[in-house]
Amino acid sequence: AQQQQQQQMQIKAKAARNLLWFMQRGEELLTALAHLHACHVAHCDLKPSNLMLDSHSGSGALLISDLGLAKLHAQDSQA
C-alpha cells in the first residue's frame, strides 16, 4: 500500500512539473503553433516529449519536434 501511494505521488509530481513547464512556456508554445498553422501545418502528435529546448544556440528557445504525423492542409482559395 505504501509503495502504491509513493507511485501515485511520483505521478502527481511529474504531472505538476509538466503543468508548470507548460505554464512557463505557454506563450512560446502558442506562438510556435500559430506559426505552424499559418503555414497550414497541423502537428497531430503534440505532447511533452515532442517539445524541447534549444541548447545548441544558447537561446533556450522552445522547439517542436517529431512532425512525422503532421498534416499539410491546402490553403483556402476563398478570401
Side-chain angles (χ1 to χ4, degrees):
Q2 186 175 357
Q3 184 179 10
Q4 185 179 14
Q5 186 178 16
Q6 189 176 25
Q7 287 175 335
Q8 288 176 346
M9 288 178 63
Q10 289 173 343
I11 290 169
K12 288 180 182 180
K14 183 176 180 180
R17 284 191 306 272
N18 285 341
L19 179 60
L20 179 61
W21 191 87
F22 275 113
M23 289 172 63
Q24 292 170 336
R25 293 294 188 158
E27 184 177 358
E28 197 172 356
L29 175 60
L30 292 175
T31 299
L33 288 173
H35 178 74
L36 281 176
H37 291 181
C39 295
H40 306 284
V41 175
H43 189 281
C44 299
D45 192 25
L46 195 61
K47 56 189 174 188
S49 61
N50 287 340
L51 301 174
M52 301 182 296
L53 297 177
D54 183 1
S55 62
H56 296 289
S57 71
S59 69
L62 180 73
L63 303 174
I64 298 176
S65 66
D66 193 1
L67 293 161
L69 297 177
K71 304 286 185 210
L72 183 61
H73 294 281
Q75 202 170 358
D76 285 344
S77 59
Q78 300 173 348

